[in-house]
């Protein structure tokens, strides 16, 4: 149609020409060409333009984005490789794989004194989540390299997601901080969001750390050696230490099974049968447990650490708080963990390795004091100590008025925890109140060293001897009392070897060298009925000791295994230290006692006994103490057909002890015993010994 119209116009305008049939094809082709050229000058529909441009732009943008992403990924990979190469070179030059701080962050052990050392080449952590490298537990270098690889990747990509809890920066912030400081990494490249860690740190707001020492508590055997925990102070509680509701307690304890009986519980705690448990609780809750429930005095020592060191310690706690490490009552416990944490930020100190295998809370406090870590000291008396101070005041006032006794009802009301709610904490338990009494002589910094060695000369019957003794810990009632709870009596892991000067020409002569005594554990808990201190008076012992067997005529002494238990009453008397919550210094006691012994030397290989033990301890002056005791056991061996052998009998024993303190680390002690029997080879035993505490 279009071609025909054009040919008609041409026919109308020009002279009529007659086209042949063959001439029409070139004209049609020319018309098509003219039409295509004409369309270039004609307007194009808008829909066609839009659709075409969008299609072209989309293709172009897609190609551009892909190119940008490829370039960005390549750049990030290049940056990561460059960072990793640089850090590896620095790590190799500085030997960071063997750096003390790095190894401590991974729970690798330093050299440690003692009979049982730890494997330096294996981390104490047996949890794959704690390591990035599959060989990280055995190879600190492999773990360092794995950390650097992950670190380089995250820093290069600048991970800024809203929740990136799996980031190495979130999982191991203490490691990351140490590496960034050591390798001088730009902090701006480490901007990663860690909501859980951030919330945790904001809650604790760590600014300052202190050690809280709760004194020994024999009524709970697992607390018999005292307890330590860390107080975490925020800026608010640093500004006003009485505002304890702004502080938290970091407590490392045993995650024991309460369904286990006491013996099984103790064995598992000693042998690593339980895991440790890191508890972080509001400080008032923990403090109330010790001051009010257990009635134990508390001593708080502020640690001389910078806020940056405090932050690093708490970041390391974040890394380790959910780990299940073996708990050992004597070596890996509440006290050792505090030293380990300080060692992480003070690599030059080597605090933990300075202690022997057995780590005791008071040893830790004394070590930190020696190394200059304790910046200040604060004493917080238990509720019973405050009640005792009131009791002392009432008795003293009535004595000054000429009264020799006080109304019993008044004294009972003062001693009662239910009727007398005096406390070092406010009623709501959120604030420490001003201390109203003088400081008691229970500061563990003042105590004698717990290990002791002695040499003594003595005579048993007609035989002279020398005793050589050693005690791993702890303290008996004749030892220098400063720094211990009053009347504290607990001995562990002690042994005595006796060297006799014998005359082989006489009958029943002892051997030249004998094991005189081996104590596993022996102690007494004194809670005087006339004091404000609650609890029972009791004692227990597990030991091997030499005894005279009175069942046979002229019997010699024999080594036996002995298990004993006592339960009774005690009374304190005398004038207590003025203004303090200390009990009177003198003590008398009476026990109902039971004992079982076994050994090849005694009649029928065993004997069981029951009886009464009574005695008194007298504090003559600050350096001199005396103790006298009478034991009245009745022993039973079983019936015998031999008329010369007794199956049961009384065997009274009287003893006297006297100790003079030369100084904090030296003392002289006099011991004398007499057995009221005529069927043994020696009745009396007298000894003078020199004691050295170390």
């Amino acid at each position: 149609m279009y071609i025909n119209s054009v040919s008609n116009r041409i026919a109308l305008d020009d002279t009529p020409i007659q086209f042949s049939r063959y001439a029409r094809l070139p004209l049609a082709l020319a018309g098509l060409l003219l039409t295509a050229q004409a369309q270039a000058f004609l307007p194009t529909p808008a829909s066609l333009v839009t659709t075409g441009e969008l299609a072209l732009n989309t293709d172009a943008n897609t190609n551009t984005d892909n190119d940008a992403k490829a370039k960005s990924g390549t750049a990030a990979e290049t940056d990561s490789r460059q960072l990793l190469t640089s850090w590896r070179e620095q790590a190799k030059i500085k030997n960071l794989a063997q750096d003390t701080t790095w190894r401590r962050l991974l729970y690798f052990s330093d050299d440690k004194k003692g009979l049982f050392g730890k494997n330096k080449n294996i981390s104490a952590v047996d949890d794959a989540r704690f390591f990035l490298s599959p060989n990280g537990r055995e190879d600190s270098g492999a773990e360092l390299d794995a950390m650097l690889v992950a670190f380089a990747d995250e820093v290069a990509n600048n991970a800024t997601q809203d929740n990136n809890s799996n980031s190495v920066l979130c999982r191991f912030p203490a490691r990351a901080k140490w590496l960034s400081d050591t390798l001088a990494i730009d902090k701006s490249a480490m901007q990663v969001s860690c909501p859980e860690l951030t919330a945790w740190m904001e809650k604790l707001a760590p600014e300052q750390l202190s050690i809280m020492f709760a004194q020994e508590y024999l009524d709970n055997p697992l607390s018999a050696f005292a307890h330590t925990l860390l107080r975490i102070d925020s800026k608010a509680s640093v500004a006003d230490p009485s505002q304890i509701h702004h502080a938290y307690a970091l407590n490392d304890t045993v995650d024991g099974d309460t369904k286990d009986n006491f013996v099984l519980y103790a064995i598992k705690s000693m042998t690593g049968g339980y895991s440790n448990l890191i508890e972080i609780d509001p400080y008032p809750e923990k403090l109330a447990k010790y001051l009010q429930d257990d009635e134990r005095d508390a001593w708080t020592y502020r640690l001389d650490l910078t806020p940056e060191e405090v932050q690093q310690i708490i970041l390391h706690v974040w890394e380790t708080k959910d780990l299940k490490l073996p708990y050992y009552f004597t070596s890996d416990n509440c006290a050792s963990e505090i030293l380990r944490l300080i060692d992480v930020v003070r690599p030059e100190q080597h605090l933990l390795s300075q202690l022997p295998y057995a780590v005791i809370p008071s040893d830790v406090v004394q070590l930190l004091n020696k190394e200059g870590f304790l910046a200040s000291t604060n004493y917080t008396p238990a509720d019973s100590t405050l009640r005792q101070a009131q009791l002392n005041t009432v008795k003293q006032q009535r004595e000054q008025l000429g009264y020799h006794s006080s109304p019993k009802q008044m004294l009972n009301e003062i001693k009662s925890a239910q009727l007398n709610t005096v406390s070092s904490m406010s009623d709501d338990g959120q604030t420490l109140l001003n201390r109203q009494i003088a400081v008691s002589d229970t500061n563990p910094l003042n105590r004698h060293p717990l290990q002791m060695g002695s040499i003594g000369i003595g005579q048993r019957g007609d035989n002279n001897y020398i005793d050589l003794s050693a005690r791993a810990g702890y303290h008996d009632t004749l030892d220098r009392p400063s720094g211990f709870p009053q009347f504290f009596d607990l001995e562990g892991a002690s042994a005595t070897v006796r060297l006799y000067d014998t005359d082989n020409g006489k009958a029943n002569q002892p051997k030249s060298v004998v094991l005189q005594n081996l104590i596993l554990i022996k102690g007494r808990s004194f809670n005087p009925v006339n004091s404000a201190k609650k609890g029972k008076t009791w004692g227990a012992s597990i030991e091997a000791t030499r005894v005279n067997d009175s069942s046979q005529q002229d019997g010699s002494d024999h080594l036996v295994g002995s298990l004993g238990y006592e339960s009774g009453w005690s009374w304190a008397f005398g004038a207590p230290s003025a203004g303090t919550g200390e009990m009177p210094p003198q003590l008398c006691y009476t026990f109902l006692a039971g004992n079982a012994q076994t050994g090849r030397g005694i009649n029928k290989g065993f004997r069981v006994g029951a009886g009464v033990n009574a005695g008194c301890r007298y504090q003559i002056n600050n350096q001199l103490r005396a103790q006298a005791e009478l034991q009245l056991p009745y022993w039973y061996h079983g019936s015998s057909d031999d008329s010369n052998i007794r199956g049961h009998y009384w065997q009274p024993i009287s003893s006297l002890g006297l100790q003079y303190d030369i100084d904090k680390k030296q003392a002289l002690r006099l011991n004398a015993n007499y057995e009221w029997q005529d069927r043994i080879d020696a009745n009396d035993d007298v000894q003078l010994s020199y004691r050295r505490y170390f």
Side-chain angles (χ1 to χ4, degrees):
M1 294 288 298
Y2 182 72
I3 294 175
N4 288 338
S5 64
V6 171
S7 55
N8 288 338
R9 282 201 304 273
I10 293 174
L12 291 173
D13 294 338
D14 299 326
T15 303
I17 299 173
Q18 296 293 323
F19 293 103
S20 68
R21 205 171 39 174
Y22 299 100
R24 292 180 183 176
L25 181 58
L27 290 175
L29 293 173
L32 287 174
L33 291 174
L34 289 173
T35 302
Q37 292 175 358
Q39 284 181 342
F41 297 98
L42 293 175
T44 306
S47 60
L48 294 178
V49 173
T50 303
T51 303
E53 288 183 353
L54 282 177
L56 291 172
N57 289 340
T58 300
D59 292 340
N61 289 341
T62 300
N63 293 334
T64 301
D65 288 346
N66 289 337
D67 291 343
K69 288 180 180 179
K71 291 179 180 180
S72 176
T74 302
E77 291 176 2
T78 301
D79 291 344
S80 178
R81 286 196 298 269
Q82 291 176 347
L83 286 172
L84 185 58
T85 300
S86 173
W87 292 342
R88 279 173 169 167
E89 290 177 357
Q90 293 183 59
K92 183 178 180 180
I93 293 172
K94 297 179 179 181
N95 196 22
L96 294 189
Q98 300 304 317
D99 188 274
T100 300
T101 298
W102 175 250
R103 289 174 60 83
R104 287 175 179 172
L105 285 168
L106 300 178
Y107 269 86
F108 282 88
S109 175
D110 299 336
D111 286 328
K112 190 171 183 180
K113 297 178 182 178
L115 181 61
F116 304 100
K118 293 183 178 180
N119 192 329
K120 292 176 56 179
N121 298 317
I122 298 179
S123 169
V125 179
D126 186 14
D127 189 333
R129 296 174 300 170
F130 190 63
F131 302 100
L132 296 175
S133 167
N135 299 321
R137 190 185 180 209
E138 296 83 17
D139 189 344
S140 59
E143 185 64 17
L144 175 65
D145 194 68
M147 187 77 184
L148 291 177
V149 170
F151 206 24
D153 181 64
E154 291 190 11
V155 172
N157 288 283
N158 194 19
T160 56
Q161 293 88 344
D162 291 338
N163 190 339
N164 199 23
S165 298
N166 289 326
S167 162
V168 294
L169 298 173
C170 298
R171 291 171 58 194
F172 306 113
R175 296 190 207 175
K177 185 179 185 306
W178 179 77
L179 279 173
S180 67
D181 292 341
T182 305
L183 300 176
I185 298 173
D186 183 6
K187 299 294 190 297
S188 63
M190 301 172 58
Q191 302 301 316
V192 59
S193 176
C194 306
E196 294 179 6
L197 173 60
T198 301
W200 191 72
M201 292 295 287
E202 288 177 351
K203 181 182 76 169
L204 299 183
E207 190 74 17
Q208 179 179 283
L209 292 179
S210 302
I211 288 184
M212 195 275 277
F213 176 92
Q215 67 182 11
E216 290 82 358
Y217 182 56
L218 286 180
D219 287 352
N220 180 356
L222 292 178
S223 299
F225 299 98
H227 185 68
T228 51
L229 56 80
L230 283 177
R231 167 174 164 164
I232 306 172
D233 280 299
S234 63
K235 288 184 178 180
S237 56
V238 168
D240 184 358
S242 68
Q243 301 302 306
I244 55 176
H245 60 288
H246 291 301
Y248 282 84
L250 172 60
N251 183 39
D252 187 274
T253 186
V254 58
D255 189 15
D257 188 347
T258 56
K259 295 179 181 179
D260 290 341
N261 60 55
F262 171 74
V263 174
L264 182 59
Y265 196 99
I267 292 174
K268 285 186 175 181
S269 298
M270 295 286 288
T271 59
Y274 293 129
S275 298
N276 78 323
L277 175 65
I278 294 180
E279 300 173 328
I280 301 178
D281 300 303
Y283 186 71
E285 294 180 9
K286 281 294 180 184
L287 187 61
K289 177 185 183 301
Y290 299 113
L291 299 182
Q292 299 174 354
D293 297 346
D294 295 348
E295 296 189 337
R296 303 157 67 176
D297 288 352
W299 291 85
T300 306
Y301 308 94
R302 182 169 65 83
L303 293 172
D304 188 15
L305 297 171
T306 66
E308 291 75 18
E309 289 172 330
V310 171
Q311 289 276 332
Q312 179 70 344
I313 286 175
I314 300 303
L315 289 176
H316 181 53
V317 171
W318 167 266
E319 298 175 347
T320 60
K321 63 184 176 63
D322 297 322
L323 299 176
K324 295 298 183 181
L325 296 169
Y327 184 94
Y328 294 92
F329 185 73
T330 56
S331 59
D332 295 289
N333 52 33
C334 63
S336 66
E337 182 64 11
I338 290 175
L339 293 184
R340 195 194 67 79
L341 290 174
I342 298 175
D343 274 345
V344 166
V345 297
R346 295 285 182 93
E348 71 281 2
Q349 293 293 150
H350 301 280
L351 294 173
L352 189 57
S353 63
Q354 293 188 46
L355 290 179
Y357 182 74
V359 182
I360 298 173
S362 61
D363 280 347
V364 167
V365 174
Q366 290 189 331
L367 174 62
L368 290 173
N369 183 57
K370 184 186 75 172
E371 296 292 327
F373 274 94
L374 305 187
S376 64
T377 302
N378 183 63
Y379 168 65
T380 308
D383 290 8
S384 62
T385 304
L386 295 175
R387 294 196 301 272
Q388 184 65 44
Q390 294 179 343
L391 198 62
N392 295 343
T393 301
V394 168
K395 289 183 177 180
Q396 184 180 13
Q397 290 174 346
R398 291 185 66 82
E399 288 175 1
Q400 291 174 350
L401 294 173
Y403 298 101
H404 297 290
S405 62
S406 302
K408 186 175 181 180
Q409 182 178 356
M410 177 193 299
L411 299 182
N412 288 338
E413 289 178 355
I414 293 174
K415 293 188 295 182
S416 172
Q418 289 73 34
L419 299 176
N420 184 4
T421 58
V422 61
S423 178
S424 293
M425 301 177 67
S426 60
D427 292 339
D428 61 4
Q430 301 300 296
T431 307
L432 273 181
L433 304 177
N434 292 330
R435 178 167 43 82
Q436 301 296 322
I437 65 173
V439 176
S440 296
D441 187 22
T442 59
N443 190 339
L445 295 179
N446 298 330
R447 63 179 51 174
H448 62 75
L450 298 185
Q451 288 74 45
M452 186 275 299
S454 73
I455 180 170
I457 56 173
Q459 184 175 35
R460 178 179 178 270
D462 296 329
N463 296 109
N464 299 324
Y465 65 81
I466 295 175
D467 270 0
L468 301 175
S469 302
R471 184 179 72 190
Y474 206 78
H475 176 92
D476 64 32
T477 51
L478 282 178
D479 285 325
R480 182 177 180 271
S482 292
F484 290 91
Q486 271 188 285
F487 313 130
F488 186 74
D489 184 5
L490 178 65
E491 298 178 82
S494 70
T496 299
V497 175
R498 179 165 292 185
L499 311 176
Y500 276 107
D501 179 16
T502 59
D503 184 351
N504 295 326
K506 294 182 180 180
N508 296 324
Q509 289 295 291
K511 295 180 180 180
S512 298
V513 181
V514 296
L515 176 63
Q516 186 67 18
N517 190 266
L518 177 64
I519 295 176
L520 180 60
I521 192 76
K522 183 178 183 179
R524 285 170 168 173
S525 176
F526 295 103
N527 296 292
V529 296
N530 62 336
S531 73
K533 193 176 181 182
K534 67 180 182 181
K536 296 180 179 180
T537 293
W538 63 278
S541 64
I542 305 175
E543 61 182 326
T545 187
R546 301 196 78 85
V547 300
N548 288 313
D549 179 0
S550 296
S551 66
Q552 306 173 62
Q553 187 67 38
D554 298 326
S556 60
D557 63 349
H558 306 285
L559 186 68
V560 299
S562 179
L563 179 66
Y565 183 79
E566 303 169 301
S567 180
W569 304 266
S570 58
W571 300 265
F573 62 95
S577 299
T580 69
E582 295 178 4
M583 294 177 285
Q586 324 308 345
L587 178 75
C588 286
Y589 53 88
T590 298
F591 289 105
L592 299 177
N595 206 299
Q597 297 177 346
T598 180
R600 290 184 299 174
I602 60 177
N603 181 28
K604 294 195 173 182
F606 80 97
R607 65 176 183 171
V608 293
V612 176
N613 299 334
C616 288
R617 173 197 178 277
Y618 195 84
Q619 182 78 32
I620 300 172
N621 56 44
N622 289 337
Q623 292 179 279
L624 187 62
R625 288 161 300 286
Q627 182 169 340
E629 182 169 311
L630 176 64
Q631 300 177 21
L632 295 171
Y634 188 80
W635 293 102
Y636 174 76
H637 289 265
S639 59
S640 175
D641 296 333
D642 190 337
S643 59
N644 292 323
I645 297 179
R646 298 185 300 186
H648 46 86
Y649 51 89
W650 289 97
Q651 190 175 4
I653 302 173
S654 58
S655 60
L656 174 67
L658 188 70
Q659 176 158 319
Y660 173 77
D661 300 325
I662 301 172
D663 55 33
K664 190 175 181 179
K665 295 185 177 181
Q666 301 178 91
L668 295 175
R669 180 175 291 193
L670 176 67
N671 285 317
N673 300 311
Y674 190 85
E675 298 193 32
W676 302 85
Q677 287 288 334
D678 57 1
R679 293 169 64 90
I680 57 179
D681 63 334
N683 298 84
D684 57 316
D685 190 330
V686 181
Q687 178 188 138
L688 176 65
S689 62
Y690 167 77
R691 299 164 71 85
R692 176 75 180 186
Y693 302 88
F694 59 91

